[in-house]
Amino acid sequence: MSALENIRREWRPLLALAWPLVLAEIGWMAMGIIDTIMVGRLPDSAAAIGAVSLGSILFVTSTVSGSCLLLGLDTVVSQAYGAGRMADCHRSLWSALYLCAAVAPALMIVNAAMAAGLPRFGVNPRVLPQTAAYIRILNWGTLPLMLYFAFRRYLQGIGLVKPVMFALVSANAINLFGNWVLIYGHLGFRAMGTDGSAWATFAARVYMAGGLISCALYYDRARRSGLFHVPLAPEWPRLARLLKLGIPAATQVVLEIGVFGLATALIARLDAASLAGHQIALNLASLTFMVPLGISSAAAVRVGHLIGQRDPAAAGRAGWSALACGVAFMSLAAFAFLTIPERIARIYTADPAVIRISVRLLAIAAAFQLFDGCQVVAAGALRGTGNTRTPMLCNLLFYWFVGLPLGMWLCFRAGWGAAGLWTGLCCGLILIGSVLLAVWRQTVADLRRSAAAMQRRMPAPP
């Protein structure tokens, strides 16, 4: 069987995992878009949008980064499930829940400190009180959000991905309804403005956590899998392994979110049109990124399952199949950014200056789409094997020590403006994608050698 046929054989099981997770990632992003659109109809829409946007960015940067400590579940649960060790999956989940209980209070303190410290950072007085209140309300959802992450990684690891998709899609409906009721004061409720949007998001996140917890309990009862028949006390070696895998993965997320957050702050020093064009291009690039991000989660699970089944050759094929899917989609995205950028930009604005800058930035985004898809999918495949350090180191080196300094020089010294900063980050992304692709190729070679060694150790048939 040819290499291409081997890869195509993996597409069906991979896509069965990937498409619900892709919809889940899009649903996660849609929640923020809904909040922004709904508060945009308030009387002082500029202040309301600014408060919701800033509050969301600050809360997500801290809380989601902390929740990414649980990404180690992708490795340990999927590999244990592939090996048929269901009790091991349960024990990892309980360890993750202890981690949630320990980390959530620390994150809440950080979020409260951010809300209290906003005046020191020169936040616009029109935006300041609404932003602080927005963060304080969202902060009550820190533990539910971490529980959602823990149960999501566990359910993904045992191959239950449709409940994750359903939770995100239906949570958007709850968030939309909550925004309509609480922002504007419908159905007898008091009009709460941006505070109402925060409470609606809080309710949606409690619902998401409750939904996935209910699914896990239902699965355990229906399959009699023994979720409560394993030791419930903390297992320190297991917690240590989760942190060993999770800390590099969480650091990678912080580095990636942070570099684009800093880029936004730097471009804010330029004219308003540059900032608006940057926001449009970044929003579109983030939207296309959701698809390979979902494929990346599926790759981590599928590779982990096959390694657990002691089939390293198939794990290599699964990773290449995921990369092929990610690259195929990002090729289409790049084609759209190159051929119809003006039409896309006009969806957001009619300002000619903003459209002109957006078109230029979308051309740069088209150049890094393939590499962005490669780097996120390769990172997921590597996570399935237990390698979370390499993607972290690549993000640190090529974003922060190559792409960002180059972009700042091109932006402010060479006079390229926003396009200069995007060009620098594009170079960083190209390097990250290329290196992670090479690392995955070497990992596959190692997996093949492992498979050959296993084959040699098998006894000859009589």
Side-chain angles (χ1 to χ4, degrees):
M1 188 177 292
S2 69
L4 182 59
E5 288 173 336
N6 280 329
I7 292 174
R8 288 167 59 184
R9 191 173 62 181
E10 277 294 326
W11 283 357
R12 180 170 293 180
L14 178 75
L15 291 176
L17 288 169
W19 74 264
L21 296 179
V22 169
L23 289 180
E25 298 297 351
I26 293 173
W28 174 263
M29 185 176 181
M31 197 172 294
I33 294 173
I34 288 171
D35 288 345
T36 303
I37 292 173
M38 294 295 285
V39 300
R41 298 180 179 272
L42 290 169
D44 191 355
S45 62
I49 291 173
V52 169
S53 299
L54 180 58
S56 296
I57 289 170
L58 292 175
F59 179 81
V60 166
T61 299
S62 65
T63 307
V64 173
S65 299
S67 300
C68 286
L69 290 170
L70 303 169
L71 284 172
L73 285 172
D74 282 354
T75 304
V76 297
V77 173
S78 61
Q79 290 187 7
Y81 184 77
R85 302 193 307 269
M86 198 66 198
D88 215 31
C89 299
H90 296 334
R91 292 164 73 175
S92 294
L93 173 62
W94 284 109
S95 294
L97 295 180
Y98 282 113
L99 194 59
C100 290
V103 173
L107 291 175
M108 292 184 73
I109 292 171
V110 171
N111 292 332
M114 280 196 306
L118 285 175
R120 299 181 180 179
F121 292 95
V123 177
N124 188 294
R126 286 172 57 200
V127 174
L128 177 60
Q130 295 180 73
T131 304
Y134 193 83
I135 294 173
R136 291 190 188 101
I137 295 169
L138 288 185
N139 204 17
W140 292 109
T142 300
L143 180 59
L145 192 59
M146 289 204 69
L147 292 174
Y148 159 77
F149 270 97
F151 278 92
R152 171 179 173 168
R153 308 328 291 195
Y154 165 76
L155 291 171
Q156 286 178 191
I158 63 174
L160 295 177
V161 292
K162 289 184 180 178
V164 176
M165 174 195 68
F166 178 80
L168 261 298
V169 173
S170 54
N172 272 280
I174 291 173
N175 186 49
L176 177 61
F177 179 75
N179 273 312
W180 179 75
V181 170
L182 299 176
I183 292 174
Y184 306 110
H186 292 113
L187 302 181
F189 284 84
R190 176 174 62 89
M192 300 172 67
T194 54
D195 286 3
S197 176
W199 283 116
T201 301
F202 164 77
R205 287 171 178 170
V206 170
Y207 163 81
M208 286 158 50
L212 293 193
I213 292 170
S214 299
C215 175
L217 294 175
Y218 174 81
Y219 175 86
D220 174 62
R221 184 175 180 180
R223 305 285 182 88
R224 298 181 179 178
S225 64
L227 180 59
F228 294 95
H229 296 159
V230 297
L232 303 185
E235 297 182 53
W236 303 114
R238 193 178 296 271
L239 277 167
R241 190 183 180 207
L242 283 176
L243 287 173
K244 184 178 180 181
L245 292 166
I247 288 174
T251 304
Q252 177 198 341
V253 172
V254 172
L255 292 170
E256 196 161 1
I257 293 175
V259 77
F260 283 98
L262 181 56
T264 301
L266 291 170
I267 290 174
R269 297 181 181 181
L270 304 174
D271 58 290
S274 294
L275 181 59
H278 163 77
Q279 292 287 16
I280 290 171
L282 184 60
N283 183 264
L284 290 165
S286 299
L287 183 61
T288 60
F289 180 75
M290 292 299 107
V291 175
L293 182 60
I295 296 171
S296 172
S297 294
V301 172
R302 183 65 180 159
V303 169
H305 283 174
L306 292 167
I307 288 178
Q309 293 170 16
R310 298 181 180 273
D311 193 349
R317 293 195 298 268
W320 284 121
S321 298
L323 281 162
C325 291
V327 167
F329 174 81
M330 294 303 258
S331 297
L332 295 176
F335 181 76
F337 287 171
L338 286 173
T339 56
I340 54 170
E342 189 170 338
R343 291 184 184 179
I344 297 173
R346 287 189 182 279
I347 297 173
Y348 290 83
T349 182
D351 188 319
V354 175
I355 291 173
R356 184 174 62 254
I357 294 171
S358 299
V359 168
R360 190 177 181 187
L361 297 183
L362 286 174
I364 299 171
F368 67 65
Q369 288 296 286
L370 296 183
F371 297 94
D372 206 9
C374 279
Q375 68 92 10
V376 68
V377 176
L382 289 169
R383 190 164 69 248
T385 69
N387 182 354
T388 55
R389 291 188 63 192
T390 302
M392 176 198 71
L393 293 173
C394 284
N395 273 265
L396 175 63
L397 176 62
F398 297 124
Y399 265 146
W400 288 88
F401 292 101
V402 178
L404 188 60
L406 174 61
M408 292 174 65
W409 187 86
L410 291 173
C411 177
F412 297 108
R413 295 292 183 89
W416 288 22
L421 200 50
W422 273 66
T423 300
L425 294 179
C426 176
C427 292
L429 253 176
I430 289 172
L431 290 170
I432 294 170
S434 300
V435 170
L436 289 182
L437 195 62
V439 171
W440 175 247
R441 183 178 181 182
Q442 181 59 48
T443 302
V444 170
D446 294 340
L447 291 172
R448 286 176 178 167
R449 283 194 291 270
S450 174
M454 289 173 60
Q455 189 72 25
R456 287 193 299 269
R457 287 196 296 268
M458 290 179 62

